[in-house]
Amino acid sequence: MKIHKEGRRILFFTLLALLAVNLLLFRVNERHLLFNQIFAGISVIVFLLLLQFFRSPFRNLLTHEDLLIAPADGKVVVIEDVHEGEYFDDMRKQISIFMSPINVHITRNPISGIVRYFRYHPGNYLVAWHPKSSTKNERTTVVVESDAGPFVLFRQIAGAMARRIVWYVNEGDEVNQGEEFGFIKFGSRVDIFVPLDTELKVGLGEKVKGGQTVIAQLKVAQPGLFS
């Protein structure tokens, strides 16, 4: 397992800070050995939690132009037909994946194609499962014209703990299914918007893995794997 590039700087300086504080405590607070030991234990736990948050495990990526693959690890918390007003201005099927702090927070391209639209929106930090987080929170919106034909919109959404969204795509880029398109730090959500006639392959409450779990089958001229 590797450490993601977005976490290396944070982990390095966190480790230096924790080491410095612990060394200082053991030097100037010798009479309170128990307190020093407890603080050292807490420091180890904090660092290990950060370490697991920024992990980048190896994945055998599933790729197929007919299939929409999960863009992130987490739990499906929303499946509903909604009006998508930022790009399509029509009814779309929304699938939302909540990423807890213990999930891998890499976000991956759910399809291959061309990025036709990208926007970054500053915003609030409502809890990621709040219904209005999709339009009120800090977020990015990406629309890809898939190789299979349909346009798919997906959003990185910051949560109450997530304070920074990182993205690696821009309009006009060609993206490959399963490759990283961003990272969200400390708890978040990803929304996907697909045509209403898209056949879903996941249910509400189901756990998914980015780059591996099939979310849906896109409607194309040629039959896909699940036809």
Side-chain angles (χ1 to χ4, degrees):
M1 182 182 70
K2 299 188 300 181
I3 300 301
H4 195 273
K5 62 183 180 181
E6 298 297 340
R8 291 169 190 164
R9 184 180 179 88
I10 292 174
L11 288 168
F12 176 73
F13 285 107
T14 299
L15 180 61
L16 286 183
L18 290 174
L19 285 174
V21 172
N22 277 276
L23 288 173
L24 183 64
L25 281 176
F26 275 95
R27 186 165 185 175
V28 303
N29 198 29
E30 296 178 353
R31 295 182 180 180
H32 299 89
L33 182 60
L34 180 60
F35 173 83
N36 294 347
Q37 291 173 336
I38 292 173
F39 188 86
I42 293 173
S43 298
V44 171
I45 292 171
V46 168
F47 187 76
L48 289 176
L49 287 173
L50 281 174
L51 200 63
Q52 69 84 33
F53 179 85
F54 286 109
R55 68 194 186 279
S56 179
F58 173 77
R59 290 280 166 89
N60 287 312
L61 301 176
L62 175 62
T63 59
H64 193 283
E65 69 173 16
D66 291 6
L67 302 179
L68 187 72
I69 308 300
D73 289 16
K75 182 179 180 180
V76 178
V77 294
V78 173
I79 295 178
E80 61 182 355
D81 295 346
V82 299
H83 180 267
E84 197 295 303
E86 180 178 349
Y87 183 82
F88 296 113
D89 195 23
D90 64 11
M91 295 297 293
R92 294 277 153 166
K93 193 176 294 293
Q94 175 183 337
I95 308 102
S96 298
I97 299 169
F98 172 68
M99 306 159 69
S100 77
I102 63 172
N103 287 126
V104 174
H105 273 59
I106 297 167
T107 48
R108 301 178 181 275
N109 297 305
I111 53 172
S112 296
I114 304 295
V115 177
R116 297 303 185 190
Y117 177 87
F118 174 85
R119 291 292 185 276
Y120 166 74
H121 304 276
N124 300 323
Y125 296 97
L126 301 172
V127 290
W129 57 84
H130 193 286
K132 292 186 178 180
S133 65
S134 183
T135 56
K136 298 295 185 182
N137 279 17
E138 179 186 3
R139 63 200 180 278
T140 63
T141 301
V142 182
V143 178
V144 172
E145 180 182 4
S146 69
D147 290 344
F151 282 62
V152 176
L153 182 153
F154 41 99
R155 288 194 180 110
Q156 296 172 293
I157 302 170
M161 293 178 63
R163 295 290 164 166
R164 188 181 175 205
I165 296 176
V166 181
W167 62 90
Y168 312 134
V169 298
N170 289 290
E171 286 185 15
D173 288 353
E174 183 175 353
V175 296
N176 296 313
Q177 193 173 48
E179 290 184 354
E180 296 181 22
F181 80 84
F183 196 97
I184 316 177
K185 297 182 179 180
F186 304 112
S188 42
R189 167 174 153 175
V190 177
D191 288 352
I192 310 113
F193 294 83
V194 294
L196 292 177
D197 61 354
T198 301
E199 182 183 356
L200 298 187
K201 299 297 181 181
V202 294
L204 200 61
E206 188 170 336
K207 293 182 179 180
V208 298
K209 279 195 171 184
Q212 292 185 329
T213 304
V214 177
I215 295 291
Q217 181 167 7
L218 301 173
K219 295 289 185 180
V220 291
Q222 296 297 322
L225 292 180
F226 289 94
S227 58

